[in-house]
Amino acid sequence: MAEIADRYDPSIVESRWYREWEERGLFGADPASPKPPYCIVIPPPNVTGSLHWGHALNNTLQDILIRYKRMDGYNALWVPGTDHASIAVHVLLERQLAAEGKTRHDIGREAFLECAWKWKEESGGTIIRQLKRLGASCDWSRERFTMDPGLSRAVRETFVRLFEEGLIYQDDYIVNWCPSCQTVLSDLEVEREERDTDFVYIKYGPLTLGTVRPETKLGDTAVAVHPKDKRYAKYVGKTLEVPSVEGTITLRVIADSAVDPKFGTGVIKVTPGHDPIDFEIGRRHNLSTRTVIGFDGRMTAEAGKYAGLDRFEARKRIVEDMQQLGLIERIEPYRHSVGLCYRSKTVVEPLISRQWYVNVKPLAEVATKAVRGRRIKILPRPWVKTYYHWMENIRPWCISRQLWWGHRIPAWYCDADGSVHVSRTDLTECPKCGGPLRRDPDVLDTWFSSGLWPFSTLGWPDDTPDLRTFYPTNVLITGPDIIFFWVARMAMLGLHLMDEVPFRDVYLHAIVRDAEGQKMSKSKGNVADPVVVMERYGTDAFRFTLAALAGLGRDIRISDERIEGYRNFANKIWNAARLVLSNLDGFDRALAAKGKPSVADRWIGSRLHATTAAVRKALDAYRFNDAAAALYQFLWNEFCDWYLEIAKRSLYQTEDSIARAVTQRTLVETLEATLRLLHPFMPFISEEIWQRLPHEGPSRPEAARSIMIAAFPKAGRKGRDATAEREMAPVIAVVSAIRTVRSESRILPAAELEVTVRPSPATAKTLKAAAPLIGGLARARVRIAPGAERPPLSAHVVESGVDVFVHLQGVVDVTAERARLGKEIDKARKEIAFLAGKLSRPDFVERAPADVVARERERLGEQQQIEAKLTQSLAGLA
RNA sequence: GGACGAUUAGCUCAGUUGGCAGAGCACCGGCCUCACAUGCCGGGGGUCACUGGUUCAAGUCCAGUAUCGUCCACCA
């Protein structure tokens, strides 16, 4: 046996295995496989991205599931890929150009797109490399990019089909315009932020009204009040001549129920060109529109003397002017929310423009039904309500963007006859008049293509073997922040285009926060690089930490201490393996077959089965933290702390070569199965150790290739050994009891104790057989004596009916021992008082289930015994 | 303005049908015991945010309060 380092060094191991797995083609899936399919499509990270904590968590969880299912006999496919991130990349490139003093218009569309592709080629691989670093077992032969030719064809097909169905249309409507990005945004792309502002009360002739946007006054085409508002009834229908900043203007007074009579003065100015509500009011009342703010965020020629001013500058100036004219009644401080562009954080300007929309209402109804009918299950449950709420209040989805990087809209305009043509193939002349055509310059919302991801990556619109085999996918794992952007759109488009749900389960994981609970963000500067963390603690430790923290539905806070703890866990496993491997010399399975497993052997086997069942159950329910806890607990507290210590006796001390072989076999088999159980969580260390273990049996050459394709342990009912568990319990209890006495009575660990154990009838046989074992584990000479009397000067502990007497003669300070006993007696008396009180209440005794009452009685009896014994012991010390 | 979540040990969090309050870290005491000091053994520590209710029994169910957080929303 070669020397193995006593500290686990992940760096060496990790770099080797990933390459090995990839070269052996272990990540690939085959649609022709007879195994049942299991498929996950990765939430495609942005090409510009680099791995952050959210990705790390997200992809670790996916990899755990994929590895689990792959081992468990499924034809497991994890489809990787990246997203072109239209607006994000576009904005980034424009910033780069701006640094050179240029705009995109200076270099032109073609050159701009070249830059974008170059950028994609250069930085698009970063995140993929980092995913590999994380151990992600994606099928890289199926890697996709949202602007691949195939996926672009899917986008085009979708657009044309929805257009033909009348679900995609153009409309002149009030939109969210970002003056900085120079594009329209969907409602979802507008973030809200609370800001302090001035609430300006302006006199409109006989009326006064409040506004936070005085500059839009220039675009007013009416004044509105609530129809039932008696205060203003007399003005409704009248036309007012009101003095304003540029002389007198005339405004109609209209009644509309959109006005809240209780807010402000109950009067609003109506500016259909620059406010969504006013736009709606304008449509209802046939009001004209005045556009006073342009796409550049500056006042237009319509704004008269304010033309050319920035909108915020104009706001200041107009207030000053009105103050001079005495048109301002008062100004109050006010806090309200403003809309910001999610990319540039610029204040969004509502403007009227012609855009493409998807009428998502009918799609949303189907997508809602799919969740109601549990064809899609969303976890954690509370998100279901959020999903319904959004779906039920859904508004048309604005899909066109005035950007260059993205899927160009397949629509052509004929200026000669004014016709619009949407086509699967590029058009060169007008199909109606043969005249020249102009292609729509805009591109699609980046989420339009990602909405097709679960089937476009599998080959749609073609009917491919992949698509037939792997759609619908089994589960989508993503963060709740993109439930509307992405999850909802996939549900709608998948159901519409494929007539089947895109995924059966949706698992929305927690948001990763730092140790202080701050959301990790670049602007806060609290983002540690996960790659650095992986390098410091090892990828396995990092992955295990994420899994251990991934409780259902909660933010998770991550700290170095926690990761360090699981780094230690990895080291613990390493050393357990070291112990096993260094004691396998001469291991002979045939010899082992001649012997009978000991109670401890059967016990650890039973515990392993219990752990297997727990891990499976937890993973099937996406309770990753439960699975991690079960593994941690079993490996450390049962396998290392108890079984290995027991096994050492057989390995080091016994003359019995058969017993030794049996122990060796248990060690190998338990460790081997545990590693398979652990592999989805800690792929590297599990493979490294597994490869060093002896593998035998008929399927050896195939099975020993990699733990990745070894079978995930099964949890059959027969695996549990209730007898062994029942027999080990008193052994563990007695050892612990002796150790506690040793520690509390300040007896040196090296001192060998004299112990008398008086077993209960049920434990007599077991304890008798286990006496040498107990003695070895507790460093004591143990005498099992049914009916023994308490020896003089001894400590007495009762553990589940077993009396443990530790002889203190000559090893202990009697005064300290007396004090300790006094405390113990107090404790027992308190417990007796509590239980006796409970049991003397007739309501409890009569109404609680019999077993509950019986248990409490039993506890009372135990405590009374303990109290009596302790009192006796104390007397013995006198 | 709505919806949802959280509040349990010093810290971070588990606690799935109501039935003996748990883990990791930190802390205290003792150990370099031939796998591991990234370790071993033992220990202390909680009015389960607050108020009421249901129940024999509530961290768990119900109502309300407070604080924090998230999402949604066209009150100008």
Side-chain angles (χ1 to χ4, degrees):
Chain A
M1 180 94 272
E3 281 299 303
I4 313 174
D6 64 354
R7 287 209 180 176
Y8 172 58
D9 182 354
S11 60
I12 303 166
V13 170
E14 290 172 8
S15 56
R16 189 171 65 240
W17 282 115
Y18 197 88
R19 208 175 44 237
E20 187 95 20
W21 293 328
E22 207 173 358
E23 279 167 9
R24 290 194 199 170
L26 299 182
F27 299 153
D30 177 6
S33 163
K35 296 174 182 174
Y38 183 87
C39 182
I40 301 179
V41 290
I42 202 170
N46 290 351
V47 264
T48 58
S50 61
L51 192 80
H52 61 64
W53 293 81
H55 292 128
L57 172 64
N58 177 254
N59 289 293
T60 294
L61 300 184
Q62 292 179 75
D63 196 46
I64 288 170
L65 289 176
I66 278 288
R67 285 180 185 270
Y68 163 45
K69 292 293 179 178
R70 189 185 291 122
M71 291 173 78
D72 205 25
Y74 287 84
N75 181 19
L77 170 62
W78 186 8
V79 182
T82 47
D83 193 295
H84 68 285
S86 168
I87 189 167
V89 171
H90 187 102
V91 166
L92 191 144
L93 290 175
E94 284 202 308
R95 254 180 229 146
Q96 285 184 355
L97 285 171
E100 299 165 27
K102 285 190 245 172
T103 72
R104 63 174 149 137
H105 300 285
D106 294 334
I107 65 167
R109 186 165 191 143
E110 218 166 293
F112 185 85
L113 288 179
E114 258 174 50
C115 287
W117 278 105
K118 212 175 130 207
W119 170 264
K120 186 256 165 187
E121 294 309 326
E122 280 168 9
S123 65
T126 304
I127 190 130
I128 298 298
R129 279 194 303 278
Q130 290 174 324
L131 286 175
K132 292 183 177 182
R133 181 81 180 74
L134 189 66
S137 62
C138 303
D139 183 347
W140 298 107
S141 72
R142 286 178 167 81
E143 185 183 339
R144 297 289 182 266
F145 176 57
T146 46
M147 278 173 67
D148 281 346
L151 275 72
S152 298
R153 197 156 63 83
V155 166
R156 190 128 165 196
E157 175 66 28
T158 304
F159 189 95
V160 175
R161 215 183 271 189
L162 294 179
F163 178 79
E164 286 169 353
E165 291 167 345
L167 292 169
I168 281 185
Y169 60 93
Q170 282 183 292
D171 194 12
D172 290 297
Y173 198 78
I174 191 142
V175 298
N176 309 297
W177 183 264
C178 174
S180 161
C181 300
Q182 285 289 299
T183 182
V184 66
L185 300 169
S186 71
D187 296 333
L188 275 180
E189 290 170 305
V190 178
E191 288 175 356
R192 296 271 155 190
E193 191 181 288
E194 291 274 307
R195 291 215 179 150
D196 289 313
T197 188
D198 290 337
F199 198 56
V200 184
Y201 286 88
I202 308 170
K203 293 178 194 161
Y204 275 63
L207 303 173
T208 297
L209 58 83
T211 181
V212 292
R213 303 186 56 201
E215 74 281 9
T216 61
K217 171 180 172 53
L218 302 164
D220 289 350
T221 52
V223 167
V225 298
H226 193 272
K228 287 186 183 151
D229 195 332
K230 293 197 185 87
R231 294 173 294 175
Y232 305 117
K234 59 182 173 187
Y235 298 109
V236 174
K238 301 265 166 55
T239 298
L240 299 178
E241 301 269 323
V242 303
S244 186
V245 284
E246 291 196 289
T248 303
I249 53 170
T250 55
L251 290 172
R252 261 173 65 206
V253 179
I254 57 171
D256 194 287
S257 51
V259 182
D260 179 357
K262 290 190 287 292
F263 187 86
T265 58
V267 185
I268 64 166
K269 59 198 229 23
V270 184
T271 320
H274 296 289
D275 186 280
I277 313 166
D278 294 8
F279 179 82
E280 293 289 345
I281 295 176
R283 277 202 170 174
R284 283 197 286 274
H285 298 269
N286 246 329
L287 299 178
S288 60
T289 298
R290 282 167 60 97
T291 300
V292 292
I293 302 172
F295 292 115
D296 56 0
R298 294 179 176 278
M299 306 308 286
T300 64
E302 291 254 19
K305 67 177 179 185
Y306 301 98
L309 280 182
D310 174 79
R311 53 195 166 141
F312 298 111
E313 184 58 29
R315 180 178 300 176
K316 257 190 257 167
R317 291 274 288 279
I318 203 165
V319 171
E320 285 165 15
D321 290 352
M322 285 192 292
Q323 262 166 338
Q324 281 188 358
L325 293 167
L327 296 175
I328 297 209
E329 198 182 281
R330 65 185 190 278
I331 297 176
E332 290 174 354
Y334 188 65
R335 197 168 172 78
H336 74 148
S337 73
V338 294
L340 303 178
C341 166
Y342 79 144
R343 287 293 151 196
S344 66
K345 311 295 174 195
T346 309
V347 176
V348 163
E349 189 61 41
L351 283 173
I352 295 169
S353 90
R354 188 171 182 77
Q355 302 290 342
W356 289 94
Y357 290 87
V358 182
N359 175 16
V360 276
K361 191 103 194 155
L363 309 192
E365 278 165 21
V366 177
T368 305
K369 264 191 207 143
V371 174
R372 283 202 200 286
R374 305 283 282 159
R375 286 162 62 213
I376 297 175
K377 292 193 211 64
I378 299 178
L379 284 166
R381 282 309 292 277
W383 289 110
V384 171
K385 213 168 166 182
T386 307
Y387 174 89
Y388 290 152
H389 182 259
W390 191 73
M391 283 293 192
E392 280 157 10
N393 295 286
I394 202 160
R395 295 195 292 170
W397 175 17
C398 179
I399 52 170
S400 45
R401 297 289 181 276
Q402 287 64 56
L403 306 169
W404 286 348
W405 174 242
H407 298 280
R408 194 158 172 185
I409 291 173
W412 284 262
Y413 305 102
C414 175
D415 290 325
D417 64 10
S419 59
V420 180
H421 307 277
V422 166
S423 169
R424 287 179 177 80
T425 53
D426 286 3
L427 299 178
T428 48
E429 55 186 40
C430 178
K432 258 170 96 182
C433 70
L437 288 174
R438 197 164 44 79
R439 185 165 182 180
D440 193 309
D442 293 348
V443 299
L444 288 164
D445 182 359
T446 197
W447 299 100
F448 191 86
S449 58
S450 33
L452 312 176
W453 188 251
F455 42 100
S456 64
T457 52
L458 295 173
W460 189 88
D462 294 331
D463 184 20
T464 62
D466 271 4
L467 191 63
R468 279 198 299 272
T469 307
F470 295 111
Y471 192 91
T473 67
N474 292 74
V475 60
L476 175 80
I477 297 194
T478 190
D481 48 332
I482 51 176
I483 184 169
F484 307 135
F485 277 118
W486 194 45
V487 180
R489 265 86 178 251
M490 283 191 286
M492 293 191 289
L493 291 169
L495 279 158
H496 187 72
L497 297 165
M498 295 291 298
D499 203 24
E500 176 58 282
V501 296
F503 27 71
R504 302 195 193 282
D505 294 344
V506 176
Y507 173 83
L508 298 162
H509 63 243
I511 303 278
V512 183
R513 294 171 183 278
D514 67 11
E516 276 72 50
Q518 298 287 312
K519 196 164 171 175
M520 297 218 184
S521 74
K522 279 178 198 156
S523 55
K524 285 202 188 85
N526 60 346
V527 186
D529 185 347
V531 175
V532 172
V533 174
M534 283 189 264
E535 256 146 38
R536 181 179 307 157
Y537 299 106
T539 301
D540 287 327
F542 181 59
R543 288 171 56 118
F544 204 87
T545 308
L546 292 169
L549 291 171
L552 218 44
R554 204 183 228 288
D555 295 343
I556 66 180
R557 297 187 187 198
I558 203 152
S559 63
D560 283 1
E561 290 78 26
R562 192 77 191 240
I563 306 170
E564 203 177 303
Y566 292 115
R567 186 270 320 263
N568 296 352
F569 179 53
N571 193 56
K572 187 77 181 173
I573 299 164
W574 183 253
N575 275 290
R578 236 160 49 93
L579 176 68
V580 173
L581 290 168
S582 61
N583 283 290
L584 290 183
D585 48 301
F587 172 43
D588 180 353
R589 277 180 201 270
L591 195 62
K594 290 181 189 162
K596 262 179 128 176
S598 68
V599 174
D601 292 328
R602 290 189 290 126
W603 170 77
I604 196 68
S606 184
R607 296 310 306 149
L608 173 65
H609 265 83
T611 306
T612 302
V615 170
R616 278 182 173 273
K617 190 179 165 202
L619 284 182
D620 290 339
Y622 305 104
R623 301 181 69 105
F624 298 93
N625 56 330
D626 285 356
L631 274 164
Y632 184 95
Q633 204 280 132
F634 170 74
L635 243 163
W636 200 314
N637 303 123
E638 294 181 322
F639 185 64
C640 290
D641 288 351
W642 288 101
Y643 186 74
L644 290 185
E645 293 306 317
I646 294 168
K648 278 179 190 173
R649 293 174 42 78
S650 158
L651 293 172
Y652 297 161
Q653 292 166 23
T654 190
E655 305 298 306
D656 185 342
S657 61
I658 294 179
R660 185 162 189 269
V662 170
T663 303
Q664 286 172 322
R665 186 183 60 192
T666 308
L667 284 171
V668 169
E669 287 179 356
T670 308
L671 180 59
E672 193 274 342
T674 307
L675 289 171
R676 280 184 280 132
L677 217 47
L678 186 70
H679 180 257
F681 301 84
M682 296 187 141
F684 296 104
I685 193 174
S686 57
E687 177 80 297
E688 177 68 21
I689 298 171
W690 194 82
Q691 292 287 344
R692 293 168 185 246
L693 286 175
H695 295 280
E696 286 186 10
S699 61
R700 185 182 189 280
E702 178 61 22
R705 277 177 67 202
S706 169
I707 194 174
M708 258 194 75
I709 49 171
F712 198 77
K714 298 265 190 295
R717 235 174 291 149
K718 280 190 293 186
R720 291 297 290 275
D721 187 333
T723 312
E725 295 206 26
R726 206 171 46 240
E727 289 179 357
M728 269 301 284
V731 175
I732 289 172
V734 170
V735 171
S736 298
I738 298 170
R739 285 171 174 170
T740 302
V741 171
R742 183 192 291 279
S743 183
E744 289 192 336
S745 304
R746 301 273 178 275
I747 304 165
L748 283 176
E752 183 158 57
L753 294 172
E754 245 357 277
V755 176
T756 301
V757 175
R758 185 169 63 208
S760 63
T763 58
K765 219 178 129 193
T766 311
L767 287 176
K768 196 119 200 168
L773 174 61
I774 294 170
L777 293 171
R779 198 172 280 246
R781 277 199 299 278
V782 178
R783 190 171 64 100
I784 309 293
E789 284 299 306
R790 183 191 59 78
L793 207 61
S794 64
H796 182 201
V797 184
V798 185
E799 278 287 348
S800 38
V802 178
D803 297 280
V804 179
F805 305 102
V806 179
H807 302 237
L808 300 175
Q809 185 84 55
V811 287
V812 93
D813 169 359
V814 174
T815 320
E817 188 55 22
R818 257 194 225 119
R820 192 181 70 80
L821 285 173
K823 262 163 66 185
E824 291 294 318
I825 291 169
D826 281 353
K827 217 163 110 185
R829 283 180 182 158
K830 257 188 217 163
E831 190 70 8
I832 289 166
F834 170 75
L835 289 166
K838 195 168 176 181
L839 284 161
S840 67
R841 288 211 323 271
D843 51 2
F844 173 73
V845 178
E846 282 157 23
R847 315 216 16 201
D851 60 316
V852 172
V853 178
R855 197 177 57 220
E856 297 297 87
R857 281 230 167 81
E858 206 175 304
R859 283 179 64 203
L860 178 63
E862 265 177 39
Q863 291 297 321
Q864 281 168 338
Q865 269 185 25
I866 290 172
E867 198 256 341
K869 299 286 160 60
L870 287 167
T871 311
Q872 240 183 6
S873 291
L874 190 59
L877 285 177

